[in-house]
Amino acid sequence: MRTAAASAGATRQRPPRFLVAGGVTMKEYQARWYGGCAPGSGIATTPVGARLLWKDPALWVSGDWRTTHVRTLELGAARIAVLGPCAATEQELASALSCPDLASAAGFWDGSHTVVRTSGGGTVEVLADAAGSSPLYLVNTADGVVWGSSSFALSPLAGGNVDTEWIAAYLREKYAPATKRSAWSGVKPVPAGHMLTLGSPLGPTSSAWWARVRRTPGEASAALRRALGEGVRVRVEGVSATTDLAGMDSTTVALLAAQHGTITGVTLHPSGVANGGDMRYARALVTPGLDHRFFPLDARHLPFASTDLPLPATDEPAPSTPVWSMFSEQLGLTASAGMPCHLTGDGGDNLFLSAPTHLGSLARHGHWWRMFRDAMDWSRLRRLSPGPLIVAACRSGTAHVGRPARPCPAWLMAPVPDANTTVATDPDTAFVTSLRTVARSAYAEVQLADALGVALHNPYFDGTVLDAVVSAPIELRYSARRYKPMLVDTFSDLLPEAHRKRAAKGLFVGDFHQGLRVNLPRVLGLADKRLAALGIIAPVPLTKAMHAAALGARTVWPSLLSAVATEEWLEAVENAPKTTWTRTAVFPAGAQ
């Protein structure tokens, strides 16, 4: 048996160059991603500059990777690779290498990663994580299937064109994207929680390996404790790292990280405001191994503010695009301080503050008293009428309970293709679908941070964290009377009392109104560019919507922010260098 830990980074053709703007440094980087080819064609289609882990069938990594986040193991003709942060031991890798069912052996390893296994029979198995935080895509080429973790990197193999129908669906409702599509024409997503099998005479196949299990409250809490704790450990152990330090989610991550070395918690706050809000809780948090850093925000960091630092190209529009000025400076300062790893609390709200989709299930099973009580509690919390909630629950409209469908923006002109609008009668199905969509979108944030030399991690989007949360009884997860009860109960011994009793978090709608008002000329300039040229939006109605939002009118922010982010994303991918691919003949081992 031979083991190997892949060395960090791929060979570069020239020393890295740095761009400096507004005090932020951005490295001219080689995008960090991985991929491989289907076996059997005799031709390896590989990206120039990547480092091959295997030659037949080809498997590669591109960009800078920590040694512990690219691991391989070989035994004869059988090989396994784990790409990404993973808590599996070498013994567990060895067991998975020989296990008949890869998913049963490797599917529940903590962290966020992709597992790849080849056998002497010429089959390649690629295990996609349950939550979709490590997205996978594939392209059909003349030499067979090529798969990878970046749809943008794969796109030149399919013509390099954006998928306008995907964009239209994204602008209509970013939480219900066009099914079986990516932002790039000809680049198809591998569904989260599925196994991609290559090398079969029938061609590539994809089958679901993950399904929800049920646990008692104690078992689910223990599973969450282990999954989140291990997910944090494998990211921060042995490196200097920072974490967000604001709400309950990021505070929990910071406290877990501090158990494995000195961690710097970063709290954002308005310039000149030294107390109150997140600052109050951050200052009160005193624990060994946790240092504090406060990042003051001023007019330069308002949403939509301009910056000399170009927006990096990503697989799809990143949620942080409208606040790129703030986001880039925060991470740039983190990198310049010699801390190349940053953990966020993103995903915590999606897991523990879900809309009350369980009302439909309660009504369907005749639990009327509990349904009415929860509907009344939730409506009081949100200061809404309980009537629409109760009606939606009785009609089993689970997908829209607490989150009604938004009207189509007047400026969206392109027809929207069939989207992921299937009404899920099971609240857990709706919950998992929603979280996977957000997790995939958050991967674009990881790509933004990569450009600044920072490895950004979102532990709440790990597959085993999702598995633990969704396994819990529904009453443990949702409550209008307690704030994030499952998270608080699971980490009650770790969180200080003040944080356990915290029942709210900051809202930033006012910042977006102000940012749009201050930066209105710049934003208006985005209304009649690439999206308009593609026939997807109408500039005049979009301009009117921007003016109204700047004046403080009630605004459907998700659609407007998506339009701004998509326009800036189109410019970024247009100006970014494309992945160059090469075709090389390969021969099976032992061939003459």
Side-chain angles (χ1 to χ4, degrees):
M1 181 178 293
R2 180 160 55 91
T3 64
S7 60
T11 302
R12 298 182 183 275
Q13 297 179 349
R14 60 182 182 275
R17 183 166 63 87
F18 295 86
L19 303 175
V20 181
V24 183
T25 302
M26 185 168 81
K27 181 168 63 174
E28 184 182 301
Y29 70 108
Q30 186 178 26
R32 191 165 58 92
W33 67 289
Y34 48 81
C37 298
S41 71
I43 299 292
T45 303
T46 58
V48 173
R51 180 169 57 84
L52 284 176
L53 301 177
W54 305 329
K55 290 185 177 180
D56 181 35
L59 178 70
W60 63 80
V61 292
S62 177
D64 294 326
W65 286 86
R66 282 175 56 186
T67 302
T68 54
H69 292 179
V70 178
R71 292 190 288 162
T72 63
L73 178 66
E74 299 182 31
L75 179 60
R79 299 171 292 191
I80 191 170
V82 183
L83 309 172
C86 178
T89 64
E90 292 298 315
Q91 183 177 357
E92 288 173 321
L93 262 67
S95 297
L97 184 61
S98 57
C99 181
D101 181 6
L102 177 62
S104 66
F108 297 95
W109 290 342
D110 297 314
S112 178
H113 47 266
T114 298
V115 182
V116 185
R117 186 174 73 172
T118 66
S119 66
T123 300
V124 176
E125 297 170 297
V126 185
L127 195 68
D129 79 281
S133 60
S134 295
L136 295 178
Y137 304 90
L138 58 84
V139 173
N140 287 301
T141 74
D143 299 315
V145 169
V146 179
W147 65 270
S149 62
S150 170
S151 58
F152 176 55
L154 292 172
S155 64
L157 295 175
N161 299 313
V162 296
D163 188 328
T164 55
E165 292 190 4
W166 184 94
I167 292 175
Y170 174 82
L171 294 176
R172 173 64 181 88
E173 174 53 80
K174 71 176 184 178
Y175 295 115
T179 58
K180 300 180 181 179
R181 294 174 179 266
S182 76
W184 298 92
S185 295
V187 183
K188 298 180 180 180
V190 177
H194 279 60
M195 169 90 78
L196 175 66
T197 303
L198 304 171
S200 165
L202 299 177
T205 61
S206 175
S207 57
W209 65 265
W210 180 86
R212 181 204 175 202
V213 298
R214 296 183 182 275
R215 297 183 176 99
T216 66
E219 291 170 341
S221 185
L224 173 59
R225 179 100 183 200
R226 187 213 70 244
L228 188 60
E230 283 294 282
V232 169
R233 179 187 66 79
V234 297
R235 289 167 164 99
V236 303
E237 206 167 43
V239 300
S240 298
T242 62
T243 71
D244 291 339
L245 189 57
M248 189 180 296
D249 308 316
S250 57
T251 297
T252 304
V253 167
L255 291 170
L256 289 170
Q259 296 177 349
H260 305 287
T262 300
I263 300 296
T264 300
V266 180
T267 302
L268 280 61
H269 66 95
S271 181
V273 178
N275 296 293
D278 291 338
M279 293 285 287
R280 170 194 168 193
Y281 292 94
R283 291 187 185 279
L285 191 66
V286 179
T287 190
L290 180 63
D291 292 336
H292 295 77
R293 184 170 184 174
F294 299 99
F295 184 75
L297 303 174
D298 54 36
R300 295 175 299 122
H301 306 115
L302 282 171
F304 314 110
S306 63
T307 174
D308 293 334
L309 201 67
L311 183 74
T314 53
D315 287 348
E316 62 183 76
S320 288
T321 300
V323 292
W324 172 238
S325 177
M326 177 274 293
F327 188 59
S328 61
E329 185 167 340
Q330 178 194 357
L331 292 181
L333 292 174
T334 296
S336 65
M339 292 176 283
C341 174
H342 182 77
L343 275 64
T344 83
D346 290 354
D349 286 350
N350 304 94
L351 286 169
F352 305 113
L353 279 183
S354 176
T357 54
H358 69 294
L359 296 178
S361 178
L362 291 172
R364 192 168 63 256
H365 292 94
H367 302 306
W368 300 109
W369 169 245
R370 170 71 191 273
M371 188 271 289
F372 280 112
R373 189 197 71 181
D374 284 10
M376 294 297 293
D377 286 345
W378 203 90
S379 62
R380 280 195 294 267
L381 180 68
R382 300 294 181 180
R383 298 181 181 179
L384 300 171
S385 168
L389 289 177
I390 295 172
V391 171
C394 293
R395 292 177 177 175
S396 296
T398 302
H400 300 304
V401 170
R403 184 183 286 171
R406 286 188 283 263
C408 184
W411 42 261
L412 181 58
M413 303 303 294
V416 178
D418 291 337
N420 188 17
T421 55
T422 301
V423 175
T425 57
D426 174 23
D428 288 325
T429 299
F431 169 72
V432 171
T433 299
S434 174
L435 187 112
R436 285 173 169 174
T437 300
V438 178
R440 187 213 67 242
S441 178
Y443 189 72
E445 308 280 84
V446 175
Q447 294 175 315
L448 289 181
D450 277 347
L452 300 174
V454 177
L456 185 143
H457 299 282
N458 303 307
Y460 284 105
F461 287 130
D462 288 357
T464 51
V465 173
L466 168 64
D467 181 76
V469 172
V470 78
S471 73
I474 206 161
E475 61 270 15
L476 181 67
R477 289 182 269 150
Y478 305 118
S479 176
R481 303 185 179 192
R482 295 182 60 207
Y483 186 67
K484 300 185 177 180
M486 186 174 184
L487 183 66
V488 172
D489 292 346
T490 298
F491 295 99
S492 60
D493 62 320
L494 192 64
L495 290 164
E497 182 179 6
H499 291 76
R500 295 198 304 271
K501 292 183 176 180
R502 189 174 183 180
K505 62 184 296 181
L507 297 176
F508 303 97
V509 172
D511 293 336
F512 280 93
H513 279 296
Q514 182 184 2
L516 187 54
R517 185 165 56 252
V518 172
N519 301 291
L520 185 58
R522 175 179 178 270
V523 178
L524 290 175
L526 301 173
D528 193 8
K529 288 192 173 181
R530 293 165 182 82
L531 284 171
L534 290 170
I536 297 175
I537 63 103
V540 173
L542 180 56
T543 299
K544 290 181 179 179
M546 291 173 172
H547 274 292
L551 291 172
R554 185 166 181 167
T555 301
V556 182
W557 280 108
S559 299
L560 188 59
L561 293 177
S562 294
V564 172
T566 303
E567 183 61 54
E568 296 196 85
W569 172 74
L570 287 170
E571 180 180 5
V573 298
E574 180 181 291
N575 295 329
K578 307 304 185 288
T579 302
T580 303
W581 294 82
T582 184
R583 299 171 68 249
T584 306
V586 295
F587 302 96
Q592 300 297 320

